[in-house]
Amino acid sequence: MKKQLIRTFVLFALFLPGVSFADGEHQVFELGNFQLESGEILPSAFLSYVTHGSLNEEKDNLVLVPSAYLGDHHGFDFLIEEDKALSPDRYFIVATDMFQNGYSSSPSNTPRPFNGPNFPTIEIRDNVTAQYRLLTEIFGVSEAAAIVGFSMGAQQAFQWAVSHPNFIRKTVGICGSAIEHPHGSVRLEGFKSAIMTDAGYMGGTYIEPPTIGLEAGGTHWAAWGTSQEWFRLGLYRDMGLDSPEGFIEFFQTFVKSWDANNLIALAATWQRNDIGKTDGFNGDSEAALASIKSDVLYMACETDQYFHIEALKWEAERIPGAKFVVMPSLWGHMAGGGRSADDAKFINDQVTDFLDANN
């Protein structure tokens, strides 16, 4: 079983954000002493990213691709190919890492006094602020062709559309929301608790990884990542696994590859996501949705257990002119990352048509 699991992990990693073997080397943008929305200063902050393609002379072909939870700057590599939606021959793609994912400033790589559980509170808007500085200060652009995000990447995409309404021409949000609705927050609290109740977690001051808690967290993701029908029909066999237990062990191994404090901090950022908290909206999420000016492709998966389709439809109806598309997949939330060939093709076709429209 162990040999089979290792083989499956290597093969499936080609399609899972955060474990890609793409060739791109990540770069680092030094942010200096970075003021967060909370008012705290994160000293010597930095933003990790990779680029694909070239910025054209007009500087109007940039596409921003922010990372997802349990992912990194390689999460959309399946779309970044010559004949795909985000062709480097056509676009200049900038794929960024969120704070707290281990590449950009995170609990795991920040020195005292902000290391580990002492890392300051990060909001989705803090990520957007850092990305805005990257695009304007390093690449000198005043607008971007598009932003494409999955899961927490979609959260960043919608926040961009609110925070900088005249900067992004087209916004694509896949299996993610502009607001974290109550059930999603409760689910994430369960995941955090699975790690934090491990005695080895020690309030985040652990010396060795809290393995028991991380394995419990992996079990959580195994239960929620796909769908009930996915399990009933045995679609885990498409990953080279023989049983649901093999899928659990796969996710346990994957989650154990992450730092516990990074996971908890990222989950807390996810829980607080709400575009209504943007300056000027006083908590009015509907008004923030209505303020979006960019063209929007809002894509949901019909079996997503993280981002319920009715909540996403409710949001899309409040964005002027938004195109709402439902992905017909049994792969649940994982469909949004192109987990199966059918899902990858569906996403590629939808994003291609959307980016090509009115251009």
Side-chain angles (χ1 to χ4, degrees), residues 63 76 78-88 90-91 93 145-148 170-174 295-299 323 325 343-359:
V63 175
F76 266 133
F78 73 96
L79 290 183
I80 305 174
E81 298 180 17
E82 182 179 349
D83 59 345
K84 297 295 174 60
L86 303 182
S87 170
R90 178 177 182 184
Y91 296 110
I93 301 103
I147 181 169
V148 181
K170 298 198 175 188
T171 299
V172 179
I174 303 171
D295 294 339
V296 173
L297 172 61
Y298 201 136
M299 196 182 308
K323 180 182 180 181
V325 175
D343 296 335
K345 183 179 186 304
F346 184 91
I347 293 168
N348 181 72
D349 291 348
Q350 291 290 328
V351 174
T352 297
D353 290 346
F354 178 69
L355 295 183
D356 285 347
N358 302 319
N359 279 347

Side-chain angles (χ1 to χ4, degrees), residues 45-62:
F46 55 93
L47 177 67
S48 166
Y49 67 97
V50 298
T51 65
H52 306 267
S54 300
L55 188 62
N56 63 15
E57 186 175 347
E58 296 79 14
K59 294 189 175 183
D60 63 358
N61 69 329
L62 188 148

Side-chain angles (χ1 to χ4, degrees), residues 198-219:
D198 181 347
Y201 178 67
M202 300 171 59
T205 62
Y206 49 88
I207 305 301
E208 298 295 328
T211 303
I212 293 174
L214 289 169
E215 287 185 347
T219 302

Side-chain angles (χ1 to χ4, degrees), residues 1 5 241-251:
M1 175 65 189
L5 178 66
L241 298 170
D242 294 331
S243 66
E245 290 74 21
F247 186 60
I248 292 172
E249 190 172 351
F250 161 76
F251 253 110

Side-chain angles (χ1 to χ4, degrees), residues 12 16-17 68-71 98 150-152 155 175 180 184-195 213-228 230-231 239 244 246-260 262-268 270-271 304-307 331-334 339:
F12 193 55
L16 192 67
Y69 195 88
L70 288 176
M98 280 187 291
F150 159 61
S151 191
M152 281 191 83
Q155 294 177 350
C175 295
E180 184 58 22
S185 183
V186 171
R187 179 191 66 79
L188 286 163
E189 197 63 29
F191 168 68
K192 288 161 55 182
S193 297
I195 298 174
L214 289 169
E215 287 185 347
T219 302
H220 167 98
W221 287 101
W224 284 88
T226 56
S227 70
Q228 293 92 337
W230 186 90
F231 279 102
M239 296 170 55
F247 186 60
I248 292 172
E249 190 172 351
F250 161 76
F251 253 110
Q252 288 176 340
T253 300
F254 179 49
V255 171
K256 283 192 296 185
S257 72
W258 279 71
D259 176 78
N262 290 352
L263 289 171
I264 290 169
L266 271 172
W270 183 340
Q271 287 176 303
D304 194 335
Q305 298 188 85
Y306 296 175
F307 295 97
W331 282 73
H333 186 66
M334 292 171 63
R339 299 303 168 256

